[in-house]
Amino acid sequence: GAGVSQTPSNKVTEKGKYVELRCDPISGHTALYWYRQSLGQGPEFLIYFQGTGAADDSGLPNDRFFAVRPEGSVSTLKIQRTERGDSAVYLCASSLDYRGIFPDTQYFGPGTRLTVL
Amino acid sequence: AQKITQTQPGMFVQEKEAVTLDCTYDTSDPSYGLFWYKQPSSGEMIFLIYQGSYDQQNATEGRYSLNFQKARKSANLVISASQLGDSAMYFCAMREDNILVNSGGSNYKLTFGKGTLLTVNP
């Protein structure tokens, strides 16, 4: 079946602008994660959705970052007043999140490369 | 302290030979899982193998095996019979099985190491 998809694949914006990054998880996956990967680093957790609700947003760096998942499927990561330090690859992952079924592997999308000029 | 440590920034291996990529971890949670992902130059993270903290045997998936030494807190990835297509970044990740009571679910967020760049030479 289809994997996790993310759009756009690349986004170039100017400092101070607003951007939206979209993630379409694997059908039937109730858990959705956003990660950020800076150059030369491993991915870092941003936010986790269980269904429609953000169950853990402890990884969001500041209040310029916000994410939604209104119908429990597609999610949008929103970044206001972008800064050059926001430049990174933003990865989305989804999993079944069915309690008791391990390992509940996370499957990643191809990422969105965000460049803030 | 780093939760996941990958001490090898880069590794080289000859085609058809085996290679071990190191990973050590730090957690006080008795229940956790360890994952290895491959990230080719295209950028997508590809799941390779999983090891649960309570698993008695080392995980294997085709040419991939995980050398799990719980007392030493290490979870090294072994790739046998390397192929040119194995050239990529490899990330070790850990999930600590803390349960979010209020959500009724579990937050299995992954903590990643910095990765090892593997180059397979012909």
Side-chain angles (χ1 to χ4, degrees):
Chain A
V4 179
S5 62
Q6 292 186 246
T7 54
S9 55
N10 279 284
K11 176 69 177 179
V12 180
T13 191
E14 293 180 344
K15 181 175 178 294
K17 298 289 188 182
Y18 167 82
V19 297
E20 289 190 351
L21 311 179
R22 175 190 166 106
C23 171
D24 199 341
I26 293 172
S27 177
H29 281 193
T30 59
L32 186 146
Y33 299 81
W34 283 98
Y35 293 83
R36 179 167 73 173
Q37 186 175 21
S38 301
L39 195 62
Q41 302 293 320
E44 293 181 315
F45 169 78
L46 294 177
I47 187 169
Y48 156 69
F49 286 90
Q50 167 60 13
T52 60
D56 183 353
D57 64 358
S58 62
L60 295 178
N62 51 60
D63 61 6
R64 295 186 298 104
F65 288 75
F66 188 71
V68 296
R69 195 185 184 198
E71 297 177 357
S73 178
V74 171
S75 176
T76 305
L77 178 66
K78 308 180 179 191
I79 310 174
Q80 298 177 324
R81 304 183 304 281
T82 52
E83 300 177 356
R84 293 192 180 88
D86 299 336
S87 295
V89 175
Y90 289 81
L91 294 165
C92 176
S94 71
S95 71
L96 281 170
D97 197 40
Y98 183 73
R99 294 173 69 186
I101 301 296
F102 287 87
D104 196 40
T105 300
Q106 293 180 29
Y107 295 93
F108 284 78
T112 294
R113 182 175 298 278
L114 175 66
T115 304
V116 182
L117 301 176
Chain B
Q2 292 277 350
K3 287 204 170 186
I4 296 288
T5 302
Q6 294 182 253
T7 57
Q8 307 153 316
M11 286 285 285
F12 293 88
V13 66
Q14 284 298 121
E15 194 178 5
K16 299 180 185 178
E17 294 190 347
V19 63
T20 298
L21 306 183
D22 294 342
C23 172
T24 58
Y25 60 91
D26 183 24
T27 181
S28 57
D29 197 322
S31 179
Y32 54 89
L34 297 156
F35 298 77
W36 278 92
Y37 285 85
K38 171 184 178 182
Q39 188 176 44
S41 56
S42 60
E44 188 162 353
M45 299 284 283
I46 302 168
F47 166 70
L48 296 178
I49 195 167
Y50 164 83
Q51 180 85 44
S53 58
Y54 294 118
D55 292 343
Q56 295 296 311
Q57 295 190 346
N58 287 345
T60 60
E61 288 286 348
R63 294 187 298 110
Y64 304 108
S65 61
L66 205 151
N67 183 1
F68 181 48
Q69 299 188 43
K70 193 170 182 177
R72 296 179 61 184
K73 293 189 173 179
S74 75
N76 298 339
L77 176 70
V78 180
I79 305 174
S80 63
S82 297
Q83 302 172 356
L84 295 177
D86 293 336
S87 294
M89 283 290 290
Y90 287 80
F91 289 96
C92 179
M94 176 171 64
R95 182 200 69 217
E96 294 167 289
D97 296 341
N98 51 308
I99 305 297
L100 296 178
V101 175
N102 291 336
S103 73
S106 306
N107 181 2
Y108 293 148
K109 65 182 176 184
L110 297 175
T111 302
F112 286 83
K114 292 189 175 184
T116 296
L117 179 61
L118 176 66
T119 303
V120 181
N121 294 317

